[in-house]
Structures are given as C-alpha cells and as structure tokens.
Amino acid sequence: MTRAFAIGLGITTVRIAAAVLDPIMTPMGYSAATTFVVSLWVGWGLTLLGTEWFLVRTARAPHALPAARFSETS
C-alpha cells in the first residue's frame, strides 16, 4: 500500500524535477519531450527510492519462534 501511495504522489516529485531540470536542460539544446522524460524518470525514481528507504528503516524485526514447552527429558 505504501508503494502504491508513493506512485500516486510521485507526480508531485516529477513536477518539482521538471521545474529544476527545465531551466538547466533547455539552454543545453534538449527538447521539451526529452526534458519531460528525464523528469519522469528522476521524479518517480526519487519517490520510489525514498519509499524503499522508508520501508527498510521502519521494518519490524521478524518474530522469534516460541520456546519449546517441554524439554527433551520430560
């Protein structure tokens, strides 16, 4: 669910990436279509990386198996 939510919010990161990359890439001669595609990759890539980082940092430790109730000698 967290990953799906991140994909939905990723468009916000795409817009921010486009706002940063457009003034940089346009004077270098890149077309608007190229800037758009790069913005998509950067925006959603950063969002997914951030989500995976969050999931790894907040993961619960696996539950330990309960101890045996009876010893081998009983």
Side-chain angles (χ1 to χ4, degrees), residues 13-48:
T13 313
V14 169
R15 301 288 185 188
I16 294 168
V20 171
L21 291 174
D22 188 41
I24 295 170
M25 293 180 71
T26 302
M28 296 173 69
Y30 290 101
S31 67
T34 302
T35 303
F36 175 70
V37 171
V38 172
S39 298
L40 286 175
W41 279 100
V42 169
W44 270 315
L46 287 174
T47 303
L48 290 176

Side-chain angles (χ1 to χ4, degrees), residues 53-68:
W53 174 82
F54 172 78
L55 290 174
V56 168
R57 297 273 296 164
T58 60
R60 293 182 188 172
H63 296 284
L65 294 175

Side-chain angles (χ1 to χ4, degrees), residues 4-16:
F5 187 72
I7 291 293
L9 286 180
I11 194 63
T12 304
T13 313
V14 169
R15 301 288 185 188
I16 294 168

